[in-house]
Structure formats: structure tokens, C-alpha cells
Amino acid sequence: MTPLNGVQGHDRRTGPADSADGRPASGLYVYALVPADSRLDLAETRGIGDARVHVLPHGDLTVVVSTVELTVLEEVNEEDLSESGVLATLARRHDEVIQAVFGQATVLPLRFGTLVRDRESAVQVAEQCRDQARDLFVRLEGRREWGVRLLRPDGAGTEGTPRVPEGSAPAPAESASQHPAQASTAGSSTSDRDHAAATDEADSGTAYLARRSAALKEREARRRHEERLVEGVETALAGYVAEALRRRPPSPPLLLDLAYLVDQDREPEFLAEVDEQAAAVTAEGLGLETTGPWPPYTFARLELSTSSP
Amino acid sequence: MSLQPSASRRSPDSLADVLERVLDKGVVIAGDIVVNVLDIELLTLKLRLFIASAETAREMGMDWWTRDPFFSSEAGRSVADGGGQERQEMEADRLRALEVENDDLRQRLAALESTARPELHGAESDRSGDPERADEPRRTDR
């Protein structure tokens, strides 16, 4: 994987020019939009690069920003995803600011890494987001995001499956070497084969195919069973939530990854139901994980194309 | 931090959870107002490819990956010893699914790298001027 730094020379050429004294030009990091009537106290909040977080009110929207060096993101290297890496540190800080705002207002988080050149541009973002932001604020007000994951822990897949006795499963090489012997017994009578079955015949092609067929049936039954469990959880939780979004398609062991938007008034009921569902699926050998509460990251779905005047 | 302190957080946010949300979600502003220092699209795609490796997932706290034999040699050994043919089949299925997904992501990545970059950054060259500081926020009436 090519480090992103490797392709950023292009950005440096066409991006903002360094100031005359050679220091990198600064700009504004945009964290979030909130309704202008929000009362935000962000005195204790520090943004990217430990900068103070400011608000820029414009009309009925307020933009939450902090001043940054425009080179602040250039250190990001996606090869380093450790907790102490640059990307992790910046992303955590981004999240902290959003969380701080979210604790005080209905928030529309912007995607990580949104930088503008100056406050005029930040205000323009507010100007051009205005109508869609208003609609989103109505949908998101008083609600928080929760994540629910349903997964198949290690070993759950084989529970209830008739396991082949230890040591009796033919390795591919063994099967091949036994083939001539099997061919010789294939022509013999049923009673002959029953005799032989007492010993080596357990590993014969017939027995192998029977086991294999049973295993396939078992696997299909298990898949259907898991599907029913997933549906059960979705149906049970749907009654308590304002909106639900699948965060990604299932790929075992992850069977379900949902984001829920929940009215804060209904959170106790929702979480009680989550606990109940967790107990139910745990009894079936699956795991249910909950994360949250989150700012409505997954539900702040808005893509805007802006242009300079 | 929460509006309703009684509802406590369920589990600590893993880095993967945070990254997936802040990189992949939220309001996206495109156009020449935005300074494209980082190509987030590219970063997000690369991150998804990266997360698909077990080691990374484990480091990032997505431990449900490591509990699965496909990603864990420890667990995989018992599969090989015990013969669990059906499990091997499931793993083969998943491997194929992952390969398809990775191919798809790689193609999108290649397309982005070859075409999107000039478009994303070309528009910035004509923008210059003194960046106005936000150190002293003032009310700007519409």
C-alpha cells in the first residue's frame, strides 16, 4: 500500500501557498454544524493540534471550527493504525470535539479532515448547507446513535453438529491411497460391506460422502437458524427506534451490523430490549455487542457540492 | 458528556469503530471551498482493505475477527485436526467473498487514483489569499 504521503506532493503544489516567511499557511478545521440557537460552552474543549474550538454563527446555523496548520493532515499514514498513530490521534480528537458539541446541542458531524481556507469559506459551508441541515436537525433532535452487532463467536458454528470422531476424518492423501481398496469392495455384497464397516470401512468413500452430506445439511440448517435469529433481533429492536441503517453487509462471523437512531426518551426501553435480545442470542451461541451512545455519525448523511462565489 | 448521564456507554469505542464513523460517515462537503489536504475517499478505501487483515483488526480492537478460525491460526488448527469439513467450506466461501470484495475495492481505488485526483485538486490552484483567522470569532449576520 502506498502511503498517502507519497501522493501529496501534488497537493502541495496546487494547494494553499506557504506564507512569505515560509511557515505553512493556516486554515480552519470544520467539525460540525449546530443550530444557531444552541448554547455551546467549548472553553475546555481542545481541537486538532490542541487549538481552541470556536463557533462561527451564520444565519440559523453555527459552524464549529478550530484554526489549524493546513499541513496538519499530511503526517497521516494509513499504514500506522495503532492507537498512538497520527491518524488515530487526529480521529480521536475529531470525535472528542464532536462528542463535546453533541453533549450540548443537536449536531451534524462533518467528515474527518474537512479543512477550509478561512472563515469566509466556513460561513459559505453554513450558507450552502442551510436547507438540508435544517431538515436533518429535525430528524436528529433529541436522538442518539447506537451500534448493535450480532456475531458468531468461535466454536458457535459447530455447536450441535455431529462431529466426526477424532482421528477418523480422512486427510485428502489418505483418501486417495485408500481408493483402490474401496474399488475392490464396491463389487461385493451388502453383507460383506457391513462386515468390513466395523473397522476400516468407517473411512470409506461412502461413509465419507454420508458424513459430508449430513454436514452440508447441518450447515444449511444452521445458516437458516442464524438468519431467523438476525431477523428476530431486527424485528424486536425496530419497535424502539426512530431509524435504522445497516452499516455494512454481513460477512461471517459478523452476522449483523446496525446503527440505530434512538429517541433519548426511549433509550431505557431500547437498551432493556437489547439486553433481552443479547441474552436470547447468547443462549443460541451467538454474541451481541452494543456500542454507543454516539453522535449521529451514521445518520448525518449529507453530501454537498460547494462552489466559490 | 452525554445528555442523559443515566444511559452509560455500553462498551469502549474501539479505534475501528471511531475510524469507521469519522472517516466514512458524516456530512461531506465537496467543491473548491474545501482544502483537499487528504484524500479521504482514498484513505477510507485503503482503511477498509487494511481492516480486512486479522492482525490490524486485532490491534484495532475488532476482536470478533480473531475469534474466527479463518483469521486465527490458533483456532484454525483445531479445525484441521478435527476434520470439520463444513467449517472449511464456510471458510472457503468467506475467502471467496473477501477476495471479491478486495478486488472490488482495489478497482475502485485504482479508478480513484487515476481519475479523481486531478479533479479533486485541480480546482484549488486559483484560490489564494490571506487565510482569515478565526481566533476572534465574531457574529456574522446573514
Side-chain angles (χ1 to χ4, degrees), chain A residues 1-271:
Chain A
M1 239 180 271
T2 315
L4 286 188
N5 289 341
V7 293
Q8 279 172 1
H10 181 78
D11 298 273
R12 288 204 195 88
R13 279 200 308 279
T14 59
D18 287 358
S19 54
D21 60 8
R23 283 188 303 113
S26 59
L28 293 177
Y29 189 101
V30 190
Y31 299 92
L33 299 168
V34 297
D37 55 9
S38 312
R39 294 176 169 277
L40 293 184
D41 176 6
L42 299 170
E44 300 300 313
T45 308
R46 288 294 174 271
I48 303 272
D50 281 332
R52 295 189 57 159
V53 177
H54 298 293
V55 292
L56 299 175
H58 175 74
D60 50 10
L61 276 185
T62 290
V63 192
V64 180
V65 300
S66 70
T67 304
V68 291
E69 307 279 284
L70 286 177
T71 53
V72 70
L73 299 179
E74 289 183 2
E75 302 301 314
V76 169
N77 175 358
E78 85 282 8
E79 306 278 356
D80 182 7
L81 293 173
S82 65
E83 193 66 66
S84 58
V86 176
L87 179 59
T89 308
L90 293 173
R92 290 274 191 201
R93 188 55 71 93
H94 173 99
D95 182 49
E96 279 164 28
V97 173
I98 307 266
Q99 296 269 6
V101 174
F102 177 53
Q104 305 173 46
T106 305
V107 64
L108 280 187
L110 266 74
R111 187 160 73 170
F112 174 82
T114 306
L115 293 177
V116 297
R117 206 165 257 96
D118 47 34
R119 55 186 298 156
E120 190 183 303
S121 301
V123 160
Q124 246 177 283
V125 168
E127 178 69 29
Q128 293 181 32
C129 283
R130 205 176 43 195
D131 295 339
Q132 284 146 299
R134 195 182 296 132
D135 296 343
L136 269 175
F137 284 136
V138 171
R139 274 174 51 203
L140 301 176
E141 190 180 3
R143 294 168 171 172
R144 308 200 286 192
E145 177 176 331
W146 293 83
V148 172
R149 269 198 295 261
L150 199 55
L151 46 103
R152 182 199 296 146
D154 184 31
T158 51
E159 247 171 62
T161 308
R163 289 298 292 259
V164 178
E166 290 297 324
S168 68
E174 271 177 79
S175 305
S177 67
Q178 282 170 358
H179 205 75
Q182 285 158 17
S184 70
T185 55
S188 54
S189 74
T190 309
S191 61
D192 282 344
R193 267 190 298 176
D194 287 345
H195 268 299
T199 53
D200 293 334
E201 198 70 1
D203 283 342
S204 76
T206 314
Y208 168 74
L209 287 176
R211 279 201 307 272
R212 186 115 159 65
S213 161
L216 286 174
K217 274 188 199 144
E218 179 65 33
R219 181 183 151 195
E220 178 59 20
R222 190 170 61 239
R223 197 183 57 75
R224 279 201 301 267
H225 182 59
E226 282 179 353
E227 267 176 18
R228 277 196 298 275
L229 288 173
V230 167
E231 275 175 30
V233 170
E234 279 197 89
T235 308
L237 295 179
Y240 299 90
V241 305
E243 290 179 40
L245 278 175
R246 275 179 191 260
R247 299 192 63 241
R248 66 180 128 189
S251 80
L254 183 67
L255 303 174
L256 181 70
D257 191 1
L258 274 175
Y260 285 118
L261 190 65
V262 185
D263 275 313
Q264 292 205 52
D265 299 346
R266 303 205 69 188
E267 273 178 3
E269 295 170 76
F270 169 73
L271 294 174

